[in-house]
Every structure is written in structure tokens, then in C-alpha cells.
């Protein structure tokens, strides 16, 4: 059998084949790198999910809950008013969209968000637990004490933003507040039973605003026909 030294041509051929094999081996990590890219994407997705969970935990923690509740009230007040205005445009009740009205509603959402935050916090402190007796007391107190405060603050806030004097604000409250308060009794006792019995305390204002959003859109035509001013019911 001939050796490589005795056959230089064969040696060259084998050397070329070995170099080819080495080049193939160096290309393998590139192919495995594609699979690694998929793994990296998966890890990146899990990392984003973990960051979202961390953000959620911080946002609804006791440290930042006030800011979260105010932000939720502001945002959903804006969304509710935008939906209402488009419904009114569709029904030919108003001619065009008014950004100032939505801005005013956003500011009223801030004031209401602060009141809701401390009201629910006080209720849970004074009436702890979720028994039927406790929930019933919370519903009654919410309707008899807090709802009138919500509605009054709502009218006062918009009155200040619309540069009305005290007499105009008071007349508006006397004319319209009782109608909104009466309408509340058709929706909020049941909604607040769910809120106080099932919803965790840190999600209550979020739930409150979701219900209020649907209620506002549903009743906007009636309220604006009654008042001819751009008012929005608050939770």
C-alpha cells in the first residue's frame, strides 16, 4: 500500500478533503446560532413578561396605588368622554368634537380619583371584612355619603374650569345633581356589591371606572339632552 509520501497527488487530494471538513465544522455553529436566536427571542419574551409583572406589582402596591388610581380615573374619564362625544355626533346632538371638554373631563377624573382612593381606604379600615352585613353597610354609606360628594365635586370642578361663578355652579347643582343621583341608584348598588364583596381592594377604582365608562356611554344621550352642557357622570 502506498504512503502519502510515495504519492504526492493523493496527499494533495486528502489534504484538500481535510480542509473542506474543517470548513464545514466551522460553519456548524452558524447554523446552531439560528436556533440560539430563537432561544434568545423566547428568553426576551419571558423577560418582557417578567418586567410587566413587576410593573403591575409596583403600580398596584400601597406605595404607588394613589398615582395608579388617579391615572386610571384620568384615562377612563377621557375615553368615556371621547366615546360620548362621538355618540352625540352620530346622533346629531353636537356638530363637532370638542377637545376642551375632554380635557376638562380628564381633570375631573383626577379629583374624583383622589376622593375614591381615600374613601375606599377609609371604608375598608372602618368596616373590615366581606360579610353580607359589612358589604350592605358599605353600599349604604357609599350611596348616602360618597355619591353626593362625588357629584358635587364633579360640578364644582367643571364649574371652575368653565369659569362659572358660585351662583351659576350652585344653580347647576340644584338643577342637575339630583337627576344624576337618582340615576345612580339604578346601577351602583348592584355594581358596588360586586366591588365590595369580590374585587380586591387595590383593584376597586379600576373596576369602578370600568362600570362608570359603560354607564356614561349608555346614559350620555339622556344627560346631555337634559342639560345641554357637556357633563359626564362619575363613579
Amino acid at each position: 500500500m502506498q504512503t502519502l509520501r510515495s504519492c504526492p497527488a493523493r496527499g494533495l487530494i486528502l489534504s484538500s478533503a481535510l480542509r473542506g471538513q474543517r470548513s464545514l465544522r466551522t460553519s456548524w455553529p452558524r447554523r446552531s446560532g439560528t436556533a440560539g436566536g430563537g432561544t434568545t427571542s423566547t428568553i426576551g419574551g419571558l423577560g418582557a413578561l417578567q418586567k410587566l409583572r413587576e410593573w403591575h406589582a409596583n403600580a398596584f402596591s400601597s406605595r404607588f396605588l394613589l398615582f395608579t388610581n388617579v391615572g386610571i380615573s384620568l384615562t377612563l374619564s377621557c375615553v368615556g368622554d371621547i366615546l360620548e362625544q362621538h355618540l352625540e355626533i352620530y346622533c346629531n346632538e353636537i356638530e363637532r368634537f370638542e377637545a376642551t371638554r375632554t380635557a376638562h373631563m380628564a381633570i375631573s377624573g383626577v379629583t374624583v380619583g383622589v376622593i375614591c382612593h381615600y374613601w375606599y381606604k377609609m371604608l375598608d379600615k372602618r368596616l373590615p371584612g366581606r360579610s353580607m352585613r359589612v358589604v350592605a353597610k358599605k353600599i349604604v354609606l357609599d350611596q348616602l355619603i360618597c355619591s353626593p360628594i362625588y357629584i358635587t365635586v364633579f360640578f364644582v370642578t367643571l364649574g371652575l374650569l368653565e369659569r362659572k361663578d358660585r351662583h351659576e355652579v350652585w344653580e347647576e347643582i340644584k338643577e342637575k345633581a339630583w337627576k344624576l343621583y337618582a340615576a345612580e341608584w339604578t346601577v351602583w348598588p348592584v355594581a358596588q356589591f360586586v366591588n365590595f364583596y369580590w374585587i380586591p381592594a387595590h383593584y376597586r377604582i379600576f373596576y369602578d371606572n370600568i362600570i362608570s365608562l359603560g354607564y356614561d356611554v349608555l346614559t350620555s344621550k339622556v344627560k346631555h339632552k337634559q342639560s345641554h352642557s357637556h357633563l359626564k357622570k362619575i363613579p
Side-chain angles (χ1 to χ4, degrees), residues 88-113:
E88 292 161 20
I89 293 171
Y90 178 79
C91 295
N92 295 320
E93 296 179 5
I94 60 176
E95 295 181 357
R96 60 185 178 83
F97 182 85
E98 296 182 14
T100 301
R101 169 181 160 177
T102 300
H104 288 174
M105 295 309 305
I107 296 172
S108 73
V110 172
T111 58
V112 170

Side-chain angles (χ1 to χ4, degrees), residues 15-229:
S15 298
S16 299
L18 290 174
R19 284 195 298 271
Q21 290 179 353
R22 284 195 296 269
S23 66
L24 287 174
R25 291 192 187 99
T26 57
S27 66
W28 289 346
R30 296 179 184 177
R31 292 195 296 270
S32 62
T34 303
T39 303
T40 303
S41 300
T42 302
I43 294 174
L46 293 174
L49 182 60
Q50 181 63 29
K51 289 181 179 179
L52 181 62
R53 289 175 178 173
E54 292 175 358
W55 174 87
H56 173 271
N58 289 328
F60 287 94
S61 65
S62 58
R63 181 179 179 183
F64 297 107
L65 187 58
L66 173 61
F67 301 101
T68 302
N69 288 337
V70 170
I72 290 170
S73 296
L74 183 154
T75 302
L76 293 183
S77 292
C78 286
V79 173
D81 187 67
I82 290 170
L83 292 174
E84 287 178 10
Q85 288 203 54
H86 280 86
L87 178 61
E88 292 161 20
I89 293 171
Y90 178 79
C91 295
N92 295 320
E93 296 179 5
I94 60 176
E95 295 181 357
R96 60 185 178 83
F97 182 85
E98 296 182 14
T100 301
R101 169 181 160 177
T102 300
H104 288 174
M105 295 309 305
I107 296 172
S108 73
V110 172
T111 58
V112 170
V114 173
I115 292 173
C116 287
H117 174 84
Y118 287 107
W119 170 251
Y120 286 143
K121 191 173 182 179
M122 186 273 292
L123 274 185
D124 288 334
K125 182 178 180 180
R126 297 294 180 88
L127 296 170
R130 296 174 182 267
S131 67
M132 288 295 178
R133 184 181 180 87
V134 169
V135 170
K137 287 181 178 180
K138 287 183 176 180
I139 292 172
V140 171
L141 291 174
D142 190 68
Q143 289 298 114
L144 295 181
I145 298 176
C146 205
S147 287
I149 294 175
Y150 290 164
I151 294 171
T152 302
V153 169
F154 171 71
F155 282 111
V156 170
T157 301
L158 289 186
L160 292 173
L161 294 171
E162 295 166 359
R163 298 183 179 180
K164 294 179 178 179
D165 59 33
R166 287 183 294 179
H167 176 73
E168 290 175 312
V169 173
W170 176 242
E171 289 299 318
E172 190 173 43
I173 290 174
K174 289 194 299 181
E175 177 188 354
K176 304 165 187 173
W178 71 270
K179 298 175 183 178
L180 298 183
Y181 184 59
E184 282 207 354
W185 280 93
T186 66
V187 174
W188 287 104
V190 175
Q192 292 294 56
F193 174 81
V194 175
N195 200 2
F196 293 130
Y197 191 76
W198 279 296
I199 305 298
H202 52 284
Y203 291 131
R204 281 186 182 153
I205 291 181
F206 178 71
Y207 165 84
D208 204 312
N209 278 272
I210 292 295
I211 298 298
S212 182
L213 176 63
Y215 178 78
D216 292 341
V217 173
L218 182 65
T219 61
S220 63
K221 182 177 181 179
V222 175
K223 289 189 296 181
H224 288 87
K225 184 178 180 181
Q226 290 174 344
S227 65
H228 298 290
S229 63

